[in-house]
Amino acid sequence: MTMPISVVIVDYGAGNLRSVVNALRILDCTPVLSSSSEDISRADAVVLPGVGAAGAAMKELATKGLIDPIKIHVSSGKPLLGVCLGLQLLLTDTEEGGLAPCMGLLPGRVKMLTGSVKIPHMGWNQVKQVRPHRIFSGIPDNSNFYFVHSYYAEPTEVSVVSGTTDYGLTFCSVLTRGNLVATQFHPEKSGELGLKFYANFVEMASEPIQC
Amino acid sequence: MLTRRIIPCLDVKNGRVVKGTSFVQLKDAGDPVELADFYYKAGADELVFLDITATPEGRQTMAGVVERISEKVFMPLTVGGGLRTIQDIHKLLRAGADKVSLNTSAVMNPTLISEGADRFGSQCMVVAIDAKKNEGEKTWWQVYVSSGQKPVKLDAVEWATRAVELGAGEILLTSMDADGHCTGYDIELTRAISEAVNVPVIASGGAGSLEDLYEALAGGKADAVLAASIFHYGTYSVAQAKEFLAKRGVPVRLC
């Protein structure tokens, strides 16, 4: 018998993390909500959820000593899923609240949404799958997912853009690089297809891509 | 393209749904968890819960209800009613709510909006506005608080603008003239607010037909429509509403 996959959801402050835990709980894994660097080091997979402001989030992650464990986890090739702000924090820096550094796992900048659109971008919008990845397994192209954000990521390398969404402009809504996956939308708020997204992520954790 | 949202609204008192529903398929139409799950499966885009409980003990019940809902319902949840402090807001977000809706407390203590936005982000701060039309030399809409019992010296359009400046990420707008009459939303009010602010506006109060939903979205320029009776009493299903809107060219999420 194999051990259940352990998935650590990084707890770095306020917001709705319960839904992420609940989404993973119904899958074949053991979700743990934690802000301990030891837990992250031991995890098979890590979810970096996202709520609130980027600056405050980076400060919380730094204070709790979680930035290095997250970077080590990613460089070891284990799966990580960034959600919403959790996607944005993977990039080099963000224009939110003046130019501020993020974790720098993927080169690129986070910018404010522009165009004649209401901000935040709030509601269900389509994700166009521009590059195949196993995270999309069983999910039809142009499916709707739930978004709530005012900033978007602009990665330097086009090769990491796997999904795009139109809102005022076309932005990167799914980022992938091997076992590193991130979404601008909230899969835990996106109904059955969102749950399928998490299921695919857990599947990745049980059989990671060999890099 | 961003789709327009269809949002059923449930009134909850002491942990039970009031203004009952008539779904024969439900074992307990008063159980908010069962109703939330019903609407989740029916393809609603989001749910709003309005806690009309008057006591602190009852409020504690609401957090528990939200916890149970978030175990099986994976869609956005907004909870409003009687939230007065940052702690009240935090408790509901931790329980599994995505957004909180402030009404009276936002008017009485506007800094609650900015404090909440700073701490939790604008995206989860909804300001609910109850407004009533005043027809004098110039038409304007007056803000009411305390469940529509008390008029205050605020113009709804000005208040909405101010609330957004303070950090509100969404406006939940209820026309008190139209609410409960099932004769259509106040389109003029909805459009005035939608054009005045750059955050999403949810139109509420008055939905009686599918045409009403269309009018609020098309004529009123609302980003979402909230309705209670037409869904709860089974007049129309969420799917019927969406099919109707799609045929009229409104982008909606079809399940």
Side-chain angles (χ1 to χ4, degrees), chain A residues 109-121:
Chain A
R109 180 163 289 179
V110 177
K111 299 178 172 181
M112 190 155 191
L113 287 166
T114 50
S116 58
V117 288
K118 291 199 169 184
I119 291 172
H121 173 213

Side-chain angles (χ1 to χ4, degrees), chain A:
Chain A
M1 188 179 150
T2 53
M3 289 283 287
I5 303 292
S6 78
V7 181
V8 167
I9 298 122
V10 184
D11 183 359
Y12 58 95
N16 181 11
L17 302 179
R18 186 178 288 268
S19 296
V20 180
V21 177
N22 288 338
L24 287 162
R25 192 168 280 154
I26 61 177
L27 299 168
D28 194 17
C29 69
T30 313
V32 181
L33 187 61
S34 172
S35 56
S36 132
S37 56
E38 289 81 20
D39 284 343
I40 292 173
S41 306
R42 280 195 296 263
D44 294 315
V46 168
V47 176
L48 184 63
V51 280
M58 278 304 291
K59 205 171 142 193
E60 274 299 304
L61 288 171
T63 307
K64 289 180 157 60
L66 302 180
I67 294 176
D68 283 340
I70 290 169
K71 286 184 175 173
I72 292 165
H73 176 89
V74 171
S75 63
S76 74
K78 289 185 194 169
L80 179 133
L81 174 63
V83 174
C84 196
L85 181 61
L87 173 152
Q88 298 176 5
L89 295 179
L90 301 176
L91 278 88
T92 312
D93 49 27
T94 176
E95 290 180 356
E96 186 181 344
L99 197 61
C102 294
M103 287 199 282
L105 282 159
L106 291 167
R109 180 163 289 179
V110 177
K111 299 178 172 181
M112 190 155 191
L113 287 166
T114 50
S116 58
V117 288
K118 291 199 169 184
I119 291 172
H121 173 213
M122 187 185 286
W124 299 77
N125 203 337
Q126 300 87 51
V127 172
K128 187 169 158 57
Q129 299 173 16
V130 295
R131 215 171 286 274
H133 191 277
R134 59 199 293 207
I135 200 73
F136 291 128
S137 172
I139 297 173
D141 195 12
N142 291 313
S143 292
N144 282 290
F145 290 92
Y146 189 78
F147 290 82
V148 184
H149 63 117
S150 303
Y151 290 81
Y152 69 99
E154 196 175 83
T156 314
E157 297 164 19
V158 186
S159 62
V160 301
V161 180
S162 292
T164 61
T165 296
D166 295 336
Y167 190 68
L169 46 80
T170 300
F171 67 90
C172 169
S173 50
V174 181
L175 269 175
T176 63
R177 194 185 66 196
N179 293 312
L180 175 63
V181 176
T183 66
Q184 185 55 66
F185 56 84
H186 288 269
E188 71 280 0
K189 288 288 149 188
S190 297
E192 297 304 309
L193 289 175
L195 295 179
K196 177 65 180 151
F197 205 92
Y198 275 110
N200 290 343
F201 178 67
V202 171
E203 185 76 13
M204 279 173 58
S206 59
E207 283 176 61
I209 301 167
Q210 297 304 315
C211 303

Side-chain angles (χ1 to χ4, degrees), chain B residues 86-108:
Chain B
I86 287 289
Q87 288 72 30
D88 292 341
I89 296 169
H90 192 206
K91 192 186 289 174
L92 282 167
L93 296 177
R94 281 306 271 199
D98 299 283
K99 305 183 233 179
V100 291
S101 166
L102 307 176
N103 191 332
T104 307
S105 59
V107 172
M108 298 305 170

